[in-house]
Amino acid sequence: MVILVLAVAFIANTIDDMRKKNNSKISFKEAMDLVELPVVTFYNGDKKLNFLLDTGSNVSYINSSIIPLLDHEKTDKEMNTIGIEGNKVSNQFCKMSVTYKNQVFEEEFSIADLDEAFSVVKQESGVQIHGILGSKFFERYKYVLDFKELIAYIK
């Protein structure tokens, strides 16, 4: 009887683990098919936000022009960044929750004027990008990008 109970508990636990892993996958297949960029749609409340998945960026960014529409909390943290053109810019940070398929992620975003950079993507692909999820996001939540399956998954 004890063995039967342990076997049922093991099976139930395994099924629960598999369900959690499947629910934690973030697909960027549609975006890659459409615009050849790893873009994923998250929500902040009822606001739909498209984020570029970018392991080359150490921090996450949110476009300053969308900030007034979002539920966020500014922090005292500031950071100097150097853009592609070599200019040094001081950016403030905010904390914000974003949701993907009922999963809530608390992230700290650097607030930056990204309108010009994102307008090029919008012109070429029709997709409006609102921010970037950087490598610290992937490290914090233990996500790995799989370009064969076009998903981010927890390792």
Side-chain angles (χ1 to χ4, degrees):
M1 183 70 148
V2 173
I3 294 174
L4 181 61
V5 170
L6 288 175
V8 169
F10 176 76
I11 291 169
N13 198 21
T14 302
I15 291 170
D16 189 47
D17 286 348
M18 289 175 62
R19 188 178 301 125
K20 284 179 184 174
K21 279 194 174 188
N22 285 337
N23 287 341
S24 65
K25 290 181 182 174
I26 298 175
S27 175
F28 51 92
K29 181 178 179 4
E30 288 179 29
M32 290 293 287
D33 290 345
L34 188 65
V35 294
E36 297 180 344
L37 291 172
V39 175
V40 177
T41 301
F42 287 77
Y43 286 86
N44 174 265
D46 63 345
K47 300 289 187 250
K48 201 174 184 180
L49 301 171
N50 294 322
F51 286 95
L52 177 66
L53 307 181
D54 184 358
T55 59
S57 174
N58 59 337
V59 298
S60 295
Y61 289 89
I62 188 73
N63 195 352
S64 59
S65 64
I66 189 122
I67 279 288
L69 305 174
L70 302 176
D71 183 19
H72 70 285
E73 178 185 320
K74 287 195 178 174
T75 68
D76 293 335
K77 184 176 177 182
E78 286 190 28
M79 179 180 80
N80 289 326
T81 58
I82 299 175
I84 286 178
E85 59 284 330
N87 299 337
K88 188 187 252 186
V89 179
S90 180
N91 295 347
Q92 284 190 304
F93 278 78
C94 71
K95 288 184 179 180
M96 184 170 71
S97 295
V98 292
T99 306
Y100 180 84
K101 292 186 179 178
N102 298 321
Q103 284 186 276
V104 179
F105 301 93
E106 295 288 331
E107 182 67 1
E108 192 172 63
F109 291 90
S110 177
I111 302 168
D113 180 0
L114 302 169
D115 282 328
E116 192 174 324
F118 290 164
S119 70
V120 172
V121 175
K122 171 99 171 147
Q123 278 182 313
E124 291 181 5
S125 68
V127 174
Q128 179 64 56
I129 296 178
H130 303 98
I132 295 170
L133 291 179
S135 62
K136 287 188 180 188
F137 174 87
F138 303 110
E139 181 181 356
R140 179 180 299 112
Y141 293 104
K142 310 297 183 225
Y143 273 90
V144 175
L145 299 184
D146 180 340
F147 280 89
K148 182 177 180 190
E149 297 295 324
L150 301 178
I151 59 169
Y153 65 91
I154 294 176
K155 183 163 182 166

